[in-house]
Amino acid sequence: MQEDEKGLGSALYALTETEHGHVWGVCAEVEGLFGEPRRGTYELFGWVPEGSGVPAWAGSRVWLVPEEEAFEAWLLEDAESLGQPSGTDSLVLTGLDDHEGPPEGYRGPVRVHDGHRRLGSCREFTRILPPDRMPAPIVLRGLAHSDQLRAALTKGTRRALDLDEAALEIRDGRGEPLTDRLLQATISGWRPSSYGADLIDLELDGGRFTPVPEYARPIWERWLAGPPTAVNAWADLDTRRRGAWHDLVRDRAFRRTRRDRPAGHVHELDGRYITDEPALHLALGEAVNGPGGYFGGCLSAVTDCLRGNFGYTAPGALLWRDAATAREHLSRTLTPDGRPYDLFTAVLETLAEGGMDVTLA
């Protein structure tokens, strides 16, 4: 294990074939889980800032909205401005593209906002292809491998060493399912492991693996040790790290058996730290399901949770303490296409439609 990956030894990793669920092997340490995902870089020509423009850190979620309504907006996660090249009127913006990416065939004017304020606009844009780089391998250290994997290694042909799509299933230090990461499990090397007799260090090609961003490493280390035992353990995090926290909250929730409380239960929400959308869903999840609890990550997901199987049975009640904080930060937001939107009112309406009587305090 590399020095910078210490602290993850309490976790348990299983390499599992996705089609039939066969477990190729189990280990306690993985190298290459964290890294820098492939980022999209855009040059926005004829950049006109709005207000204070784009600071060096533009925010964790930045929307680019085509002027032509036929094309949909797309999202850059973990977005950052790289500034304006000398002698140009353009702006360079980088971030993690969502699954949609820029509209195919469109290169015209776009408007940019971060969900709260309009940042500016440009007359056209281009996507700059990042330079090719060798992906880091994924190394499973001290792997207890199955008979099927042992046979594939003995055969050693290219076909035998291509294990097809697999999931790296991850359990926390208490042995509870936490999350998984998909990868194309092509074996590039193996050797006897120093971690024990009959164990191997298995190296997989990382070419189609999306690493966990480095900024999320402390959050993962916290969760790999076990779930939080008190609410608001995420309160001191910035928006993008709150989002990473919520990703694990959601993944863990869908791997656990859930039990609904009886109808009429009164839930209490601590609203002191709801200054952004991830905090809204983290606080709501903990109000219904306790520390580390999940109750949706967007309004449509909240609606699904209100129907049952996520700790809540209608009708119920919610005492929302310090609601003024959320009202201040979430009442003047923007939709992906840049229209004004009152998220605070929208979530109250969603809860009411699901039979939850909300009292603001």
Side-chain angles (χ1 to χ4, degrees):
M1 180 176 67
Q2 291 183 343
E3 183 70 16
D4 63 353
E5 304 239 353
K6 287 184 178 178
L8 306 188
S10 60
L12 185 67
Y13 304 86
L15 184 67
T16 303
E17 189 262 344
T18 55
E19 185 175 359
H20 303 292
H22 169 70
V23 178
W24 295 110
V26 177
C27 67
E29 294 184 9
V30 174
E31 182 181 310
L33 180 62
F34 298 97
E36 293 300 333
R38 189 179 179 89
R39 297 172 68 84
T41 301
Y42 297 86
E43 186 166 1
L44 311 181
F45 299 101
W47 173 254
V48 179
E50 190 166 335
S52 59
V54 180
W57 170 247
S60 62
R61 296 166 63 87
V62 171
W63 293 92
L64 291 90
V65 187
E67 287 287 357
E68 295 186 24
E69 294 184 359
F71 296 94
E72 293 187 359
W74 78 100
L75 175 66
L76 284 184
E77 298 273 8
D78 191 23
E80 186 176 1
S81 165
L82 300 183
Q84 296 187 260
S86 178
T88 72
D89 64 353
S90 62
L91 178 81
V92 179
L93 192 64
T94 181
L96 305 177
D97 285 302
D98 65 6
H99 66 282
E100 295 290 344
E104 185 175 355
Y106 184 79
R107 293 295 180 269
V110 296
R111 293 172 283 114
V112 183
H113 70 84
D114 66 1
H116 293 275
R117 58 200 174 100
R118 296 179 175 89
L119 303 173
S121 61
C122 68
R123 66 173 181 270
E124 60 181 329
F125 72 93
T126 187
R127 192 174 192 271
I128 303 171
L129 295 178
D132 291 333
R133 63 181 182 183
M134 288 295 294
I138 312 301
V139 183
L140 310 183
R141 300 256 182 222
L143 184 75
H145 49 311
S146 68
D147 291 341
Q148 290 94 325
L149 179 54
R150 191 190 308 272
L153 297 178
T154 301
K155 193 170 186 180
T157 65
R158 178 176 297 182
R159 184 171 182 179
L161 298 180
D162 186 355
L163 306 182
D164 296 322
E165 185 181 77
L168 189 63
E169 298 180 347
I170 304 172
R171 291 178 176 265
D172 65 23
R174 300 182 183 182
E176 297 179 354
L178 178 60
T179 185
D180 63 34
R181 307 295 286 186
L182 294 178
L183 68 156
Q184 191 68 25
T186 302
I187 299 171
S188 54
W190 70 95
R191 65 193 65 85
S193 177
S194 61
Y195 286 82
D198 204 34
L199 301 180
I200 63 172
D201 293 340
L202 185 73
E203 182 176 298
L204 303 174
D205 182 358
R208 297 175 64 181
F209 177 73
T210 301
V212 179
E214 282 290 345
Y215 69 78
R217 182 192 291 263
I219 287 93
W220 276 63
E221 290 178 343
R222 172 65 181 81
W223 276 89
L224 288 171
T229 57
V231 299
N232 298 327
W234 47 266
D236 292 335
L237 302 175
D238 61 17
T239 297
R240 63 175 177 167
R241 289 177 175 83
R242 288 176 174 184
W245 185 284
H246 186 272
D247 288 343
L248 292 176
V249 167
R250 179 200 59 226
D251 290 356
R252 177 175 177 268
F254 281 89
R255 288 163 174 79
R256 292 171 57 83
T257 301
R258 298 175 293 271
R259 181 177 299 175
D260 292 339
R261 291 186 175 86
H265 186 83
V266 179
H267 308 273
E268 187 169 331
L269 187 152
D270 182 352
R272 289 176 294 168
Y273 307 107
I274 302 180
T275 56
D276 50 32
E277 187 171 356
L280 168 67
H281 296 294
L282 290 170
L284 183 58
E286 293 187 331
V288 177
N289 290 308
Y294 173 82
F295 203 73
C298 62
L299 291 186
S300 61
V302 172
T303 297
D304 290 340
C305 292
L306 287 164
R307 295 183 178 129
N309 297 322
F310 284 90
Y312 169 78
T313 303
L318 178 71
L319 175 59
W320 188 327
R321 298 191 182 279
D322 295 288
T325 302
R327 187 190 300 275
E328 176 187 354
H329 288 90
L330 302 181
S331 292
R332 292 181 294 276
T333 58
L334 300 172
T335 62
D337 61 5
R339 292 180 290 108
Y341 179 61
D342 185 344
L343 177 57
F344 178 72
T345 297
V347 73
L348 291 179
E349 292 173 349
T350 299
L351 295 172
E353 290 168 0
M356 186 177 284
D357 181 28
V358 180
T359 299
L360 304 180

